[in-house]
Amino acid sequence: MTLWKGTLLIVMFLGALRIAKTCQNTVMSCPSTCAVASDLERDEELINRQMMQLTQNMSTLCQRIKRIQMKREEKQQRHRQRNMELTNLISRQQATVDLLTESRNRLGDRSREVTEGTNDIRRLADENRVLEDRIQQKVVSARSACSVTMETTCPGTIVGRDCAEIYNFGGRTSGAYLITTGSTDVLRLVYCDQDTDGGGWTQIHSHATNDVEFNRDWQSYKSGFGQVSCNGDGNYWLGNENIHSVTSQTHQHMRVDVEDWNGASRFALYTHFGVGSESTDYTLTVSGYQGDESGDIGDAFAGHNFGISDDVLITKHKGMPFSTYDRDNDKYMTGNCARHGSGGWWYNSCSAVNLNGKVYEGGYYQKSDTIYGYDNAMIWGPWKGLWYSLKKTSMKIRPASFHSTVQT
Ligand SMILES: [Ca+2]
């Protein structure tokens, strides 16, 4: 039985009960109604039981409803709890995303700072190199102003086109002389070796100390620089224009003398030597090597194998143009051999011999001693390697016909 039907019966019963009591208290004029009431009264007990049953049912129903409501509230509570957990999780994830975004932005900023810093360092390095070159040029200018001097104790009264001619004119004592070079007849001070192997040698290069800077520009190597001494231990370069002038007059021999820090002296003789004009960038011609009988030091101008198969090819100086730090004519595509080697020379890529490099006291030196990390000493590779500085070197030239001239 449903609830609303139970309620209707109760209402009908109570109405009938009132009618029955009215009939008891008054004389009924309608027996049929009283009879009905009487019947209903008789059923009161049954109805009361049914009422109790209904009440019980309602109570049970109410308890079920309460349980359902409690379960629903529990579910709602769990749902709210889960929502809170999800909300917290989303918040934490959002915080993580924010943190990662911030970190990425910081990394981007740091990366940009590193890039800008690297660019600044490169720019500063470039500016530093330009500054070094300017300082170097000022040092060269300052030293050139007082570098070439003639000492009064040197014999030098005889003048000739070269030392061979001076010898033939009677200048038989080694020392400083004046020679005429080129068509302009400019007098040039030079050391004449009139003793070695019959004399007649014009010294075009002498290097024994770092008192004179050899890391000079094109113009300086073109015109010559340094100091000529009376005993042949000066520091000078006769000048590419002068060397070209002398070597273009006649077939020349060239002799290189080298000395190490233990007092050992050697030489290399070349039966052909010449330097082209400036239009060829003073290209070197050298051949006909003859070693020293007391110890062959090797033909360094032909290149040398330092341990890699193509070393000879890339260190060969024969046929190479002259290079200075401000005029790169070498074959080293990614660098400047003259800058690395601390002096002008006929570099290939780069050198087996460099007599215009620096002098290192004691001979042995290492990368950390250099500016650029490359060998930059005064070297003769086949004899002592790249990392041994010679103590003293000289280059002398003499006409191939000199001996016959002396004999006549
Ligand atoms: Ca180069």
Side-chain angles (χ1 to χ4, degrees):
M1 181 180 293
T2 59
L3 185 59
W4 67 273
K5 284 181 179 179
T7 304
L8 181 61
L9 285 173
I10 292 168
V11 171
M12 290 173 62
F13 172 72
L14 292 175
L17 194 60
R18 279 198 303 271
I19 295 171
K21 286 183 178 179
T22 302
C23 290
Q24 284 179 342
N25 295 334
T26 60
V27 178
M28 294 296 294
S29 58
C30 186
S32 61
T33 304
C34 291
V36 172
S38 179
D39 290 341
L40 290 173
E41 191 175 6
R42 283 195 301 273
D43 292 337
E44 181 178 3
E45 184 177 355
L46 177 62
I47 290 168
N48 283 337
R49 285 200 298 273
Q50 289 178 340
M51 284 287 290
M52 288 180 64
Q53 185 63 43
L54 281 172
T55 302
Q56 270 187 338
N57 289 345
M58 285 186 68
S59 175
T60 302
L61 191 61
C62 287
Q63 287 177 356
R64 285 182 180 173
I65 290 171
K66 280 184 179 178
R67 283 199 296 274
I68 289 170
Q69 284 178 335
M70 286 177 67
K71 285 183 179 177
R72 189 178 64 185
E73 286 179 358
E74 287 175 358
K75 282 186 178 179
Q76 287 177 339
Q77 181 65 26
R78 284 200 297 274
H79 186 66
R80 281 195 295 272
Q81 182 69 27
R82 188 162 299 175
N83 279 343
M84 285 179 65
E85 290 174 357
L86 284 172
T87 302
N88 290 335
L89 183 61
I90 290 171
S91 297
R92 287 200 297 274
Q93 286 179 336
Q94 185 60 46
T96 304
V97 169
D98 292 343
L99 192 62
L100 286 173
T101 303
E102 187 179 351
S103 298
R104 187 184 61 188
N105 292 338
R106 280 184 191 164
L107 280 174
D109 293 342
R110 190 66 55 86
S111 178
R112 280 191 291 277
E113 288 174 2
V114 169
T115 302
E116 289 172 359
T118 303
N119 291 336
D120 287 343
I121 290 171
R122 284 179 181 154
R123 190 169 58 252
L124 285 173
D126 290 340
E127 291 174 359
N128 195 40
R129 274 194 287 274
V130 171
L131 199 58
E132 281 180 359
D133 288 345
R134 287 179 182 168
I135 292 171
Q136 189 63 52
Q137 288 170 14
K138 288 189 179 300
V139 170
V140 168
S141 299
R143 288 185 172 174
S144 296
C146 57
S147 59
V148 180
T149 59
M150 176 181 273
E151 299 186 26
T152 55
T153 57
C154 295
T157 54
I158 301 173
V159 177
R161 287 180 300 173
D162 58 20
C163 294
E165 191 171 76
I166 289 173
Y167 186 96
N168 289 332
F169 288 166
R172 305 295 171 88
T173 306
S174 296
Y177 291 86
L178 288 170
I179 60 172
T180 58
T181 58
S183 57
T184 55
D185 287 338
V186 174
L187 292 175
R188 182 77 196 183
L189 190 65
V190 72
Y191 181 80
C192 292
D193 180 352
Q194 311 295 40
D195 296 304
T196 300
D197 190 27
W201 295 101
T202 302
Q203 191 180 59
I204 62 174
H205 155 98
S206 180
H207 197 182
T209 68
N210 293 321
D211 293 339
V212 170
E213 179 59 67
F214 275 69
N215 191 13
R216 296 176 180 244
D217 61 11
W218 182 264
Q219 184 59 42
S220 190
Y221 270 94
K222 176 182 176 179
S223 58
F225 59 86
Q227 187 167 15
V228 179
S229 72
C230 295
N231 62 6
D233 289 344
N235 293 287
Y236 73 93
W237 184 257
L238 182 61
N240 289 335
E241 200 60 38
N242 297 323
I243 298 171
H244 162 66
S245 175
V246 173
T247 59
S248 63
Q249 291 171 16
T250 181
H251 174 200
Q252 298 282 327
H253 288 178
M254 194 270 283
R255 175 182 169 122
V256 179
D257 282 276
V258 294
E259 183 178 325
D260 70 10
W261 292 86
N262 292 322
S265 297
R266 299 284 188 275
F267 73 87
L269 182 67
Y270 292 88
T271 57
H272 289 83
F273 176 78
V275 171
S277 65
E278 188 174 20
S279 65
T280 71
D281 290 324
Y282 302 115
T283 295
L284 173 67
T285 300
V286 60
S287 62
Y289 169 78
Q290 295 177 9
D292 189 338
E293 292 178 354
S294 63
D296 189 354
I297 60 173
D299 181 6
F301 283 98
H304 182 64
N305 185 355
F306 292 99
I308 302 175
S309 60
D310 60 349
D311 275 349
V312 174
L313 189 64
I314 66 174
T315 60
K316 181 180 177 182
H317 298 277
K318 296 178 179 180
M320 290 303 302
F322 202 83
S323 287
T324 53
Y325 67 78
D326 62 334
R327 191 173 294 193
D328 183 353
N329 293 319
D330 63 50
K331 289 187 176 179
Y332 184 37
M333 300 306 293
T334 56
N336 185 320
C337 292
R339 187 189 300 278
H340 296 166
S342 298
W345 194 248
W346 297 279
Y347 292 102
N348 188 315
S349 178
C350 286
S351 53
V353 50
N354 174 18
L355 303 185
N356 289 334
K358 285 187 172 300
V359 177
Y360 286 90
E361 194 83 19
Y364 293 104
Y365 71 110
Q366 52 193 359
K367 284 185 179 181
S368 57
D369 298 324
T370 69
I371 298 175
Y372 299 104
Y374 296 89
D375 53 285
N376 71 339
M378 184 167 69
I379 57 169
W380 189 274
W383 189 35
K384 296 289 182 179
L386 299 176
W387 298 98
Y388 184 89
S389 166
L390 300 172
K391 183 180 181 183
K392 187 167 67 174
T393 65
S394 70
M395 296 171 69
K396 305 163 187 170
I397 58 175
R398 182 173 70 180
S401 59
F402 175 70
H403 283 295
S404 59
T405 303
V406 172
Q407 289 167 0
T408 59

